[in-house]
Amino acid sequence: MSPGWAVEVLGWVVLLCFVHLALLTASFTALLLLSAIEEGLRRRGDRTEDFDALADSRFTIPVSVICAAHNEERLIEHVVRSVLAFDYPEFELIVVNDGSTDGTLAKLQETFGMSRVRVFFRRVLATIAPRGVYRSRSEPRLTVVDRPSGGKADALNCGVNFARYRYLCCIDGDTVYEQDALLRSMRHVLHDPARVIGATSHVAIASAPEATWAGSGERPIEDDVFNNFQHLDYLRSFMTSRLGWSRLNFMLCAVGPFSIWRRSTLVELGGFSSDFSCEDIEITFRVHEHERREGRSYRILSLPYTVGHTEGPDRLAHLVSQRARWQRVILETVLHYRHMFLNPRYGTVGLLGMPFYVLAEVAAPFAELLSLSTLAAAIALGAIGPRDVLLFVGFLSFGVGTLSSAALLISDLGGPEYRFRDLLRLALLAPFEIVLYRPALTWARLVGTWGFLRGDKRWNKFQRNERSAANP
Amino acid sequence: MSPTLEWLFEPLFRVSVVAWSLVTGALVLRRTLFEFQRSSLLRARERVRQAAAVSPDAAARTVGLLLNGVPRRTIERIVADSHTRDDDARVLSTFALERWGVARLARDAAASGTWRGPWRRIAALCILAHGGRPEALPLLAAALADRDRRVVSAAVATLGRMPTVAAADLLIEALRRNRYLASRIATELESFPLPIGERLLPLLAHPSTRVRYWAAALLYRYRDLAGLEAALAPLAADPDAGVRRAVVQALGEVGGPRAATVALGLLDDPVPFVRAHAARAVGTLRLTAHADRVAPLLADHDWWVRLAATEALVALGPESWPVVVRELDSADAFARNAAAEVLQNGGALVGLIRRDVTGELDAAGRALLDRIAEAGGPGLLNLPPGEEGDRLHEAAARARLAEVEP
């Protein structure tokens, strides 16, 4: 192949990549605007809400909080304490110890005075049989169900079997929650219980979630750049995308660390599925698919509140492993529900949500790989000069930086969560993400795609960070 | 001929840099303004407090001076914010009423704007309400009938914080007319700053099931209200199960002779959740003489009734134990287990084991211990740590509670 020919082909590939990029830019810009509108409306609604009356009222809807815990010895006490401190009138907490091989159960027994009881429960969902049920002597709202390991989805289903109330709040055993998380989120259910069947909200990254929870006022951001990039990544995803999805009612991922579901909806659908690498995205797709197919009027909301703090990976390998799993489950889910793609029967989910997922999640790693390869080939063939390369990378950097700054702005409009210097630090770091952080995500997505093609279904939970071991 | 896109790189780069600069600049500016406003408000509050110590006129003058240059939107936002302290909201509202006039604010409060949506209207309603203006109530009444749920929600919350009986009347009327989610209106009526039991009482005779339900549910707070028990009791025969549940729940807290009759009568209700609440009411009312009516519910076909019966029997205390002991021989496994749980939670079990340890337990007592052990199964006890716990543990093991954790 002559260099001239190669340049010709490269030109067309570049055009293809640009079309993908243009579509992504247009989608993210539109979602950003919608997210800003959604956040503004929610914020104003919150301002006029009488939270004091709600927090004390016996007329709020009681909630069963279900926490699936697998080897969470180091954080479980803080997680449970943070949930029991929820400023919400009536709720119960069911911790499902999913075959932990560390001291998770012992920690709970010791801290909360759990003792084994014999109880009967309604087996509305098929799950692995529990080994034992424990109730707290000091905290009547707390129940611990111990069982052999069966995966997170099965553990959550087990929790559903023990749940007493109409709404469920599914949480993770490694996330420490804000005191007002449930009240602020359930407010939206309380205002429209006939239609709101699901809700989720933003979880922040912290290297020591329990320390963050113990603090008050504006949250300090850690000095670790790797942690900061993950923080920005989460924030951008929620504040500039998911709020927009929610506005158009195609909120396609109620995240594992905090998702509220109407119990009857989950039971009707047979609960969480263990057939996928991760349960959260799949159940959201399934609920949408079911509700749209049945022609019901419903809402699944993404909310702009920071409801908790979770520990992110502190090593590149752990991050890649985590994100590869996310990519696998996205591919599994999109493939499984491909019949919704551009199908008008599924409304905005089929016409906007699915194409967006394909564009931004499924095709993105290939497009990114193609772009990088093309760029390298163009440089090698002398078809593009170093100045143009810098301009292009600069464009991408500041483009992503703009989205991150917008996410910070939207978050800040809802009330100052960060100290001024931290806000500035995050905003200034944002343009470097594309060079310093994004390649790792691209790699992780490719690894995830490869894993998907090989049929890998492992959970790949990342190893807890060293800090915890040294300073439990 | 392949397309060339190099010409795009520079303009795209420029656009992205400008966009990032603008958004980041807006972020910095917004936070700086916020910090300035926050510190200004704190300073202003302190100065007003100092001036108020001199005279009310001095305070009013200080407020006027401080707020003169503050934009209307800022004042509106602060007054309408439910987190703003009542004192601050009152001061700001008084200033706003003087500055923009009652007529203008009343006009704003009457209808939503075309492009600003309902927020100016909501803020104006809050200002009039905090300012104690008589125009507030009719405007809030109109807002309750608005089609925009945001306006109705804000009106409900504003009325719930107004310490006047007329505001309660508007909320009650909204409840009767089903203007908004009944549970949200009920939440405001439940925490209403004035006693409003007498105004809720007539709702018990309302033809709407929904209204009767909420009236019964809300009246639990007014146990001293004359005629409440007499008004609630007949609703135990209401055709709607929800009303019957609310009635027995309320009577459980209000108490009185009719309450006992109602609670005992509804133990046989055909609807499970009514039976469950009736059982709880028997526990709350401490109707120990009627434990024998609750005990059979340990074997009810509904799970929640069984749980409620267990809770009720624990609440009834030692007087119920003779009845509970009979359930140790029930044909139903849960009833046997729940009976053991009641005796465990009430302290009967540990008491028996203690007596066994000290040799005070006779043969009948040991037989009872065995029956409880059999019904409750392993892992039944919560034993105290230490030497006593060890000795109790040995005794428990003798009573076939072999898997008890010390």
Side-chain angles (χ1 to χ4, degrees):
Chain A
M1 191 162 54
S2 72
W5 232 91
V7 171
E8 182 84 4
V9 170
L10 272 180
W12 288 105
V13 175
V14 167
L15 183 66
L16 187 69
C17 293
F18 255 87
V19 169
H20 180 257
L21 191 63
L23 284 170
L24 272 186
T25 308
S27 304
F28 280 119
T29 308
L31 283 172
L32 171 62
L33 294 174
L34 285 166
S35 297
I37 293 169
E38 178 77 355
E39 199 281 335
L41 293 173
R42 300 252 171 256
R43 177 164 35 88
R44 286 183 150 158
D46 280 355
R47 279 196 182 137
T48 54
E49 181 58 86
D50 191 350
F51 282 107
D52 291 341
L54 275 185
D56 291 331
S57 174
R58 61 162 61 180
F59 303 130
T60 51
I61 301 174
V63 178
S64 295
V65 182
I66 301 174
C67 173
H70 176 74
N71 291 345
E72 304 292 1
E73 180 187 3
R74 286 169 190 155
L75 274 179
I76 194 69
E77 178 189 343
H78 301 284
V79 175
V80 171
R81 284 195 195 285
S82 72
V83 172
L84 293 175
F86 272 166
D87 197 5
Y88 196 78
E90 194 175 357
F91 67 92
E92 62 174 350
L93 170 60
I94 300 160
V95 179
V96 183
N97 178 43
D98 186 36
S100 296
T101 50
D102 64 355
T104 302
L105 182 63
K107 185 79 181 175
L108 286 166
Q109 284 178 304
E110 177 196 341
T111 311
F112 300 101
M114 310 299 302
S115 57
R116 193 166 173 169
V117 291
R118 248 180 104 187
V119 297
F120 290 70
F121 61 95
R122 292 183 300 174
R123 197 163 177 268
V124 290
L125 299 171
T127 67
I128 292 175
R131 281 190 293 231
V133 180
Y134 299 79
R135 291 249 160 86
S136 168
R137 287 193 284 274
S138 56
E139 179 45 79
R141 295 172 299 177
L142 176 62
T143 300
V144 174
V145 182
D146 181 40
R147 44 171 256 149
S149 181
K152 189 181 169 191
D154 199 73
L156 289 173
N157 287 340
C158 176
V160 175
N161 285 338
F162 281 85
R164 295 171 62 185
Y165 299 131
R166 276 199 292 149
Y167 274 83
L168 309 170
C169 178
C170 302
I171 62 168
D172 277 355
D174 61 357
T175 305
V176 180
Y177 293 88
E178 294 282 347
Q179 194 173 354
D180 59 359
L182 195 58
L183 185 67
R184 284 165 77 93
S185 307
M186 278 300 289
R187 176 187 103 75
H188 300 276
V189 178
L190 297 170
H191 274 274
D192 196 2
R195 289 200 312 149
V196 179
I197 58 172
T200 189
S201 202
H202 169 234
V203 173
I205 290 285
S207 64
E210 72 280 16
T212 313
W213 177 68
S216 60
E218 289 153 18
R219 182 186 335 136
I221 291 291
E222 286 140 39
D223 290 337
D224 179 36
V225 173
F226 188 59
N227 183 294
N228 294 162
F229 281 136
Q230 288 180 70
H231 193 91
L232 276 173
D233 193 14
Y234 273 51
L235 192 71
R236 197 176 51 240
S237 166
F238 269 86
M239 295 296 172
T240 67
S241 285
R242 293 180 192 204
L243 290 178
W245 302 357
S246 182
R247 184 93 202 123
L248 296 172
N249 203 16
F250 66 85
M251 220 302 294
L252 285 169
C253 181
V255 294
F258 191 83
S259 55
I260 290 172
W261 292 107
R262 191 191 286 163
R263 180 195 154 96
S264 59
T265 304
L266 281 191
V267 172
E268 188 181 0
L269 292 174
F272 295 93
S273 171
S274 300
D275 296 338
F276 295 78
S277 296
C278 192
E279 82 300 333
D280 51 4
I281 298 179
E282 192 278 330
I283 190 68
T284 322
F285 269 70
R286 188 145 42 102
V287 171
H288 276 298
E289 200 267 347
H290 180 258
E291 298 293 306
R292 298 266 177 174
R293 191 158 36 79
E294 296 289 320
R296 294 178 186 163
S297 173
Y298 74 102
R299 299 272 292 159
I300 301 175
L301 304 175
S302 183
L303 303 169
Y305 319 123
T306 302
V307 291
H309 308 271
T310 193
E311 195 177 35
D314 67 347
R315 290 182 190 175
L316 199 58
H318 296 166
L319 178 78
V320 169
S321 165
Q322 182 195 53
R323 297 305 172 93
R325 174 167 58 84
W326 292 5
Q327 182 68 12
R328 276 202 327 262
V329 72
I330 285 170
L331 293 169
E332 290 164 12
T333 310
V334 169
L335 183 70
H336 188 82
Y337 293 97
R338 60 188 178 280
H339 61 278
M340 290 202 289
F341 184 77
L342 292 178
N343 188 338
R345 184 180 182 186
Y346 296 98
T348 50
V349 176
L351 297 176
L352 295 174
M354 289 290 285
F356 177 79
Y357 248 67
V358 170
L359 188 74
E361 305 288 354
V362 178
F366 300 108
E368 285 167 11
L369 183 66
L370 195 63
S371 302
L372 284 173
S373 320
T374 312
L375 205 61
I379 294 168
L381 291 168
I384 186 170
R387 182 175 173 276
D388 287 335
V389 172
L390 284 176
L391 284 172
F392 182 64
V393 173
F395 156 63
L396 292 177
S397 300
F398 282 99
V400 172
T402 305
L403 279 177
S404 299
S405 285
L408 287 166
L409 178 59
I410 290 173
S411 163
D412 206 54
L413 283 168
E417 285 202 16
Y418 308 100
R419 296 178 303 182
F420 186 71
R421 62 169 190 230
D422 291 332
L423 200 66
L424 208 56
R425 174 190 169 85
L426 289 172
L428 293 175
L429 264 179
F432 295 98
E433 187 184 324
I434 206 85
V435 178
L436 299 177
Y437 178 71
R438 195 77 199 171
L441 295 194
T442 302
W443 175 244
R445 285 168 150 194
L446 290 168
V447 171
T449 305
W450 177 240
F452 164 73
L453 294 171
R454 285 171 45 230
D456 185 0
K457 294 275 173 78
R458 285 172 302 164
W459 178 262
N460 290 349
K461 182 173 176 169
F462 73 86
Q463 199 182 332
R464 286 275 156 245
N465 300 334
E466 294 295 330
R467 169 204 66 85
S468 301
N471 183 23
Chain B
M1 180 69 189
S2 70
T4 54
L5 296 166
E6 290 89 339
W7 61 272
L8 260 176
F9 291 171
E10 190 159 343
L12 282 176
F13 173 71
R14 284 173 190 273
V15 167
S16 64
V17 171
V18 170
W20 178 79
S21 306
L22 284 175
V23 177
T24 307
L27 174 68
V28 171
L29 187 66
R30 127 91 210 166
R31 175 53 83 85
T32 309
L33 274 174
F34 178 87
E35 298 293 351
F36 174 73
Q37 284 177 353
R38 181 156 65 176
S39 58
S40 300
L41 273 172
L42 287 173
R43 277 200 308 273
R45 183 185 289 161
E46 181 56 24
R47 284 177 63 184
V48 171
R49 197 184 61 77
Q50 287 169 357
V54 178
S55 75
D57 284 348
R61 276 197 304 277
T62 309
V63 169
L65 283 172
L66 288 170
L67 296 177
N68 237 348
V70 179
R72 181 174 169 182
R73 283 188 64 183
T74 307
I75 291 177
E76 285 177 344
R77 202 183 60 217
I78 298 170
V79 176
D81 194 329
S82 60
H83 295 97
T84 303
R85 295 189 335 185
D86 280 351
D87 291 351
D88 292 344
R90 242 190 322 273
V91 168
L92 288 167
S93 299
T94 307
F95 169 79
L97 285 162
E98 278 180 20
R99 173 97 177 263
W100 293 292
V102 176
R104 184 173 165 188
L105 285 163
R107 203 169 53 242
D108 289 341
S112 299
T114 46
W115 63 276
R116 267 196 181 163
W119 306 112
R120 173 148 280 179
R121 181 183 184 187
I122 289 170
L125 285 167
C126 290
I127 289 170
L128 290 167
H130 280 296
R133 297 296 311 176
E135 293 83 353
L137 282 171
L139 288 164
L140 283 164
L144 284 175
D146 202 89
R147 280 190 302 179
D148 188 334
R149 291 171 69 87
R150 294 170 296 182
V151 174
V152 187
S153 170
V156 167
T158 306
L159 284 166
R161 289 195 294 268
M162 286 177 78
T164 68
V165 173
D169 285 342
L170 283 179
L171 286 171
I172 291 170
E173 187 60 15
L175 188 69
R176 278 157 48 104
R177 289 177 177 267
N178 202 15
R179 294 280 194 217
Y180 191 58
L181 278 177
S183 59
R184 286 293 295 116
I185 298 173
T187 297
E188 295 300 334
L189 287 170
E190 184 190 20
S191 59
F192 200 76
L194 300 175
I196 51 168
E198 284 179 2
R199 300 185 120 72
L200 293 169
L201 208 54
L203 299 184
L204 290 173
H206 197 274
S208 159
T209 300
R210 183 181 48 79
V211 175
R212 288 200 305 279
Y213 167 81
W214 283 109
L218 282 162
L219 278 164
Y220 78 92
R221 288 176 66 203
Y222 301 99
R223 66 171 61 198
D224 296 329
L225 185 65
L228 175 59
E229 199 194 344
L232 279 170
L235 290 181
D238 196 281
D240 184 79
V243 175
R244 296 201 299 277
R245 187 197 82 172
V247 164
V248 76
Q249 209 175 358
L251 281 172
E253 296 183 48
V254 169
R258 285 198 180 94
T261 311
V262 166
L264 291 169
L266 290 179
L267 287 173
D268 300 322
D269 197 277
V271 178
F273 65 76
V274 179
R275 288 201 299 281
H277 281 278
R280 286 202 187 94
V282 169
T284 315
L285 293 166
R286 303 267 168 178
L287 303 177
T288 46
H290 299 281
D292 58 333
R293 298 283 312 280
V294 180
L297 295 183
L298 292 175
D300 194 280
H301 65 79
D302 184 84
W303 166 250
W304 301 116
V305 179
R306 291 171 177 226
L307 278 182
T310 310
E311 287 170 26
L313 287 167
V314 171
L316 288 178
E319 288 90 339
S320 71
W321 290 351
V323 173
V324 176
V325 165
R326 289 207 295 268
E327 295 299 319
L328 291 172
D329 300 322
S330 169
D332 185 285
F334 176 85
R336 291 198 301 274
N337 187 258
E341 192 182 327
V342 171
L343 294 168
Q344 171 203 25
N345 291 347
L349 188 54
V350 172
L352 283 170
I353 295 174
R354 277 211 173 98
R355 282 166 57 200
D356 190 30
V357 168
T358 54
E360 297 168 42
L361 200 65
D362 57 14
R366 270 195 292 277
L368 177 59
L369 197 54
D370 281 351
R371 283 169 68 197
I372 297 172
E374 192 170 343
L380 187 66
L381 285 183
N382 305 324
L383 295 176
E387 194 182 333
E388 192 200 25
D390 292 343
R391 286 193 296 130
L392 291 174
H393 186 251
E394 282 174 27
R398 280 201 303 276
R400 289 191 285 128
L401 291 163
E403 291 176 41
V404 170
E405 292 165 20

